C-alpha cells in the first residue's frame, strides 16, 4: 500500500501529463501516435564479429572475453553474428519486420585502433556502407558512439577513471562526426553510462574487471566530461543533429515505508537515473548523493567542469528492463554517501522472471518514463532498449515459438501507450534486440533477439514468432494481441 501512495505522489509531480491525458481520451488505449518510430537495437561488440579485420584494434571486451573464466562457456565476440559481413541481410530483416529505426553502435577500436591518432579508413568505411544501406532502405539510423568497447590501449593508460579519456573520446567523436553527421541525424553519445562504469570499475563483473569504488566515481565524472565534449563536437559538425544518450533507468521503490528507505530510494534514483542527465542538462551533479564536502575530491572535479559537462540534450534515450526495491544500508555500500541496497522489484501477483533471471515489471516502464519526463522538463524520449531473454530454439517445425517474448513486449508496450496517453513525449521504441547475440558475461546463452541466430550453422537467421508479432505491431502502430 505504502508503495502505491509513494508512487502517486511521484506521479503527481509529473503533472505535465494531465492536459495531454484529456486530449488523448478518445484514442484506443493501445494506439500509438502518428509518426511513432518502431525499431530494434544492437551493439557493435555483440553482433559484428570480424574482430581483427580491416585494421580493427583490441577493445577491453576482447581482452576480457579472452581471459579464461570471465564469460560463461568462455564465449567471446570474435565472430558473434558476423554482422560485419552480413549487414545487408540484417537490413533486409529490419525491413521484413516493418521497422523504421535501427539503433547500432560504432566500435571505437575500428576507427582508432589504438584509441588515438588518425582515422582507420577501412573501419570507418564499414559504418558508411551500413549507414548508406539503411538510408536507402528507408530506415532511420540511430548511432551510439560508445557501447562499452573502449580501445584496450586507453584502458592501459588508466581507462575511464583517467580524465584524459574524455579528450580521447572527443577526438574520436570528431572523426566519426566528420564521416557521418551529414547523413545521420540522431545520435546517442553513451550507452548505459551507469552500467558500464559500475559493472566495469566498481563491481569488476564486466570489462575491464576492476572493483575499485573510488576509481569508479572518477570514471563517472570522466564520462560526464566526455558526454559534454562529444555533444559540442557533434553539434559543430552539423547543426541539425539531435543528440541524446541511452540511459539505463530503473524506477526505485522504498522496500518499506520507513523514512530511511524512502530517502534511500530517492538517493538511488538520483544516482542511477540522474547521474549522467543532470550534469548534461544543468552542469551540476544531483544533490544529496555524495557527501557535499567531499564531492569535488571524490570526483576529481576541476574548476570549469560544470561548463564542460553541460550538454543540452535534444532527447533522452531510456533503456528499461526492471524496477528495484531499495533499502537503506547504514553500513555503506562502497560509494561514500550512497548507502543503499537494491533488489529487483516484482509486479504484484506476477512473480515471473525472464530466462536471464530479471524480474518482469511492466508497470515500471510507465513509472520511469513519467518520472524522467518530469525530471527533464518533458524532453522528447526514445525507448532505446527494452526486451527479454527467452531461450527458446526452433521447434520440430523449425519455427521459433517464443510466446513469452511477445507477452513481455505487449505488456510493456501497453504501459508505454499509457504513459504517452498521460502526456509523456515518447516518440520511438527500440526492442533489444534485432538478433540473438553475445550477451556480455552470459556469452551466447541468453537469446534476446526478434530473430534467431544459429551460431553453429554459419550465423543463419530466422525470424521468431515474436518478431512476426512485433512486425504487425509496427505496421498497425498498435500493440494489439
Ligand atoms: C543492456 C545493454 C545491452 C544488452 C541488454 C540485454 O544493459 O545495454 O547491450 O546487453 O542489456
Amino acid at each position: 500500500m505504502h508503495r502505491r501512495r509513494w508512487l502517486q505522489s511521484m506521479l503527481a509531480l509529473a503533472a505535465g501529463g494531465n492536459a495531454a491525458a484529456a486530449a488523448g481520451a478518445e484514442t484506443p488505449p493501445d494506439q500509438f501516435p502518428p509518426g511513432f518510430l518502431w525499431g530494434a537495437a544492437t551493439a557493435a561488440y555483440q553482433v559484428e564479429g570480424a574482430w581483427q579485420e580491416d585494421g580493427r584494434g583490441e577493445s577491453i571486451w576482447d581482452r576480457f572475453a579472452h581471459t579464461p573464466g570471465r564469460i560463461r562457456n568462455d564465449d567471446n565476440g570474435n565472430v558473434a553474428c558476423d554482422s560485419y559481413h552480413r549487414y545487408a541481410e540484417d537490413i533486409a530483416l529490419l525491413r521484413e519486420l516493418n521497422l523504421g529505426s535501427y539503433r547500432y553502435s560504432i566500435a571505437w577500436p575500428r576507427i582508432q585502433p589504438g584509441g588515438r591518432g588518425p582515422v582507420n579508413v577501412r573501419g570507418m568505411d564499414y559504418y558508411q556502407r551500413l549507414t548508406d544501406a539503411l538510408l536507402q532502405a528507408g530506415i532511420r539510423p540511430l548511432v551510439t558512439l560508445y557501447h562499452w568497447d573502449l580501445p584496450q590501449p586507453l584502458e592501459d593508460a588508466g581507462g575511464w577513471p583517467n580524465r584524459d579519456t574524455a579528450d580521447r573520446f572527443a577526438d574520436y567523436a570528431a572523426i566519426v562526426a566528420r564521416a557521418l553527421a551529414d547523413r545521420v541525424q540522431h545520435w546517442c553519445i553513451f550507452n548505459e553510462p551507469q552500467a558500464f562504469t559500475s559493472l566495469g570499475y566498481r563491481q569488476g563483473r564486466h570489462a575491464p574487471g576492476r572493483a575499485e569504488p573510488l576509481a569508479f566515481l572518477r570514471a563517472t565524472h570522466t564520462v560526464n566530461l566526455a558526454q559534454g565534449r562529444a555533444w559540442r563536437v557533434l553539434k559543430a559538425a552539423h547543426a541539425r543533429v539531435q543528440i541524446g544518450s541511452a540511459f539505463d533507468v530503473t524506477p526505485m521503490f522504498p522496500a518499506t515505508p520507513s523514512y530511511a528507505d524512502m530517502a534511500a530510494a530517492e538517493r538511488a534514483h538520483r544516482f542511477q537515473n540522474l547521474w549522467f542527465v543532470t550534469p548534461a542538462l544543468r552542469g551540476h551533479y544531483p544533490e544529496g548523493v555524495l557527501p557535499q564536502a567531499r564531492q569535488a575530491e571524490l570526483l576529481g572535479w576541476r574548476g570549469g567542469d560544470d561548463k564542460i559537462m553541460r550538454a543540452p540534450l535534444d532527447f533522452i534515450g531510456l533503456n528499461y528492463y526492471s524496477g528495484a526495491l531499495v533499502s537503506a544500508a547504514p553500513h555503506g555500500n562502497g560509494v561514500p554517501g550512497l548507502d543503499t541496497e537494491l533488489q529487483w522489484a516484482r509486479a504484484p501477483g506476477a512473480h515471473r522472471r525472464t530466462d536471464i533471471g530479471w524480474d518482469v515489471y511492466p508497470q515500471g516502464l510507465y513509472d520511469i518514463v513519467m518520472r524522467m519526463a518530469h525530471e527533464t522538463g518533458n524532453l522528447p524520449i526514445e525507448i532505446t532498449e527494452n526486451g527479454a531473454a527467452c531461450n527458446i530454439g526452433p521447434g520440430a517445425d523449425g519455427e521459433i515459438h517464443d510466446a513469452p517474448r511477445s507477452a513481455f513486449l505487449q505488456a510493456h508496450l501497453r504501459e508505454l501507450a499509457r504513459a504517452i496517453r498521460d502526456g509523456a513525449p515518447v516518440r520511438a521504441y527500440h526492442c533489444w534486440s534485432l538478433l540473438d547475440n553475445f550477451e556480455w558475461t552470459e556469452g551466447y546463452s541468453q537469446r534476446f533477439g526478434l530473430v534467431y541466430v544459429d551460431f553453429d550453422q554459419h550465423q543463419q537467421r530466422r525470424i521468431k514468432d515474436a518478431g512476426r508479432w512485433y512486425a504487425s505491431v509496427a505496421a498497425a502502430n498498435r500493440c494489439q494481441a
Side-chain angles (χ1 to χ4, degrees):
M1 202 51 204
H2 65 279
R3 200 159 102 197
R4 188 176 310 153
R5 264 206 312 276
W6 182 83
L7 224 166
Q8 276 163 354
S9 64
M10 285 300 130
L11 294 180
L13 279 175
N18 293 347
E26 311 87 41
T27 34
D30 59 358
Q31 182 74 51
F32 282 74
F36 189 84
L37 268 178
W38 297 94
T42 61
Y45 189 72
Q46 295 180 274
V47 300
E48 284 177 359
W51 75 293
Q52 286 184 308
E53 244 171 277
D54 293 338
R56 178 185 179 280
E58 187 189 20
S59 80
I60 54 173
W61 271 95
D62 296 305
R63 178 71 61 92
F64 194 71
H66 294 156
T67 308
R70 288 299 203 170
I71 311 286
R72 191 189 283 223
N73 303 321
D74 282 338
D75 288 341
N76 59 54
N78 293 4
V79 180
C81 308
D82 196 27
S83 288
Y84 192 75
H85 300 111
R86 292 168 187 258
Y87 68 91
E89 208 180 314
D90 294 344
I91 293 172
L93 287 164
L94 287 162
R95 280 188 63 106
E96 212 176 324
L97 293 170
N98 302 321
L99 301 183
S101 175
Y102 183 44
R103 174 172 176 244
Y104 56 102
S105 80
I106 298 198
W108 187 349
R110 287 199 196 282
I111 307 303
Q112 291 178 299
R116 60 184 82 226
V119 61
N120 169 39
V121 174
R122 286 179 297 163
M124 195 70 248
D125 277 354
Y126 167 67
Y127 296 106
Q128 280 172 324
R129 287 197 301 277
L130 169 63
T131 304
D132 289 343
L134 283 165
L135 290 169
Q136 231 161 36
I139 297 166
R140 179 195 72 155
L142 173 58
V143 172
T144 306
L145 275 180
Y146 184 84
H147 200 126
W148 303 1
D149 40 4
L150 186 72
Q152 180 64 39
L154 294 188
E155 177 54 37
D156 297 340
W160 285 108
N162 174 4
R163 64 185 273 146
D164 284 351
T165 303
D167 299 339
R168 301 285 70 76
F169 188 70
D171 292 348
Y172 156 66
I175 293 174
V176 176
R178 265 200 301 279
L180 289 178
D182 60 338
R183 61 201 96 165
V184 173
Q185 197 177 348
H186 296 90
W187 297 81
C188 289
I189 297 174
F190 283 110
N191 177 70
E192 301 201 346
Q194 182 63 254
F196 82 76
T197 51
S198 174
L199 291 164
Y201 293 98
R202 176 184 176 188
Q203 303 174 38
R205 285 167 47 211
H206 275 193
R210 290 164 61 181
E212 303 165 28
L214 295 181
F216 153 65
L217 286 178
R218 297 266 166 137
T220 67
H221 188 50
T222 310
V223 167
N224 272 312
L225 297 171
Q227 184 169 247
R229 300 213 38 199
W231 184 89
R232 273 180 289 284
V233 159
L234 281 164
K235 286 283 181 188
H238 214 290
R240 71 169 190 149
V241 295
Q242 288 200 27
I243 307 173
S245 273
F247 300 105
D248 39 324
V249 288
T250 307
M252 301 289 179
F253 305 103
T256 75
S258 72
Y259 176 77
D261 286 351
M262 291 192 30
E266 181 56 27
R267 281 199 303 283
H269 165 68
R270 293 180 190 185
F271 194 53
Q272 173 72 45
N273 302 326
L274 300 181
W275 201 249
F276 301 91
V277 174
T278 310
L281 299 185
R282 317 208 202 294
H284 62 78
Y285 280 93
E287 278 145 27
V289 180
L290 300 185
Q292 198 56 42
R294 293 188 60 204
Q295 177 158 303
E297 161 230 327
L298 287 168
L299 295 173
W301 178 278
R302 292 187 194 160
D305 282 358
D306 50 336
K307 295 196 181 60
I308 301 176
M309 300 192 305
R310 203 137 189 280
L313 305 173
D314 301 293
F315 70 95
I316 53 166
L318 304 181
N319 290 4
Y320 174 72
Y321 290 94
S322 223
L325 292 179
V326 187
S327 323
H331 303 298
N333 64 8
V335 178
L338 186 59
D339 304 341
T340 54
E341 217 169 83
L342 272 60
Q343 61 187 87
W344 292 120
R346 302 255 179 121
H351 291 240
R352 284 174 295 126
R353 291 185 168 159
T354 59
D355 288 346
I356 199 171
W358 301 349
D359 280 299
V360 178
Y361 191 60
Q363 312 68 325
L365 179 57
Y366 175 89
D367 300 337
I368 198 64
V369 163
M370 297 305 285
R371 182 90 196 252
M372 293 306 288
H374 166 70
E375 299 281 9
T376 60
N378 267 338
L379 274 185
I381 292 175
E382 301 211 6
I383 303 303
T384 32
E385 284 184 27
N386 173 239
C390 173
N391 302 329
I392 293 175
D397 57 358
E399 300 294 321
I400 298 97
H401 303 300
D402 56 341
R405 186 187 327 276
S406 313
F408 178 101
L409 294 176
Q410 184 173 39
H412 285 76
L413 288 172
R414 287 200 167 132
E415 292 295 326
L416 189 62
R418 184 160 74 91
I420 294 171
R421 278 203 313 284
D422 286 352
V426 186
R427 67 183 188 200
Y429 174 90
H430 298 81
C431 178
W432 184 270
S433 174
L434 174 64
L435 304 166
D436 292 338
N437 60 44
F438 176 81
E439 177 47 37
W440 309 114
T441 49
E442 295 294 327
Y444 295 97
S445 67
Q446 302 301 322
R447 293 183 176 270
F448 277 89
L450 296 167
V451 175
Y452 185 81
V453 177
D454 191 334
F455 296 103
D456 298 326
Q457 285 298 321
H458 313 291
Q459 277 66 27
Q460 249 174 43
R461 282 108 158 107
R462 187 175 196 95
I463 295 180
K464 303 179 188 180
D465 285 359
R468 297 197 190 286
W469 175 82
Y470 186 58
S472 72
V473 168
N477 206 27
R478 288 179 74 154
C479 60
Q480 82 279 30

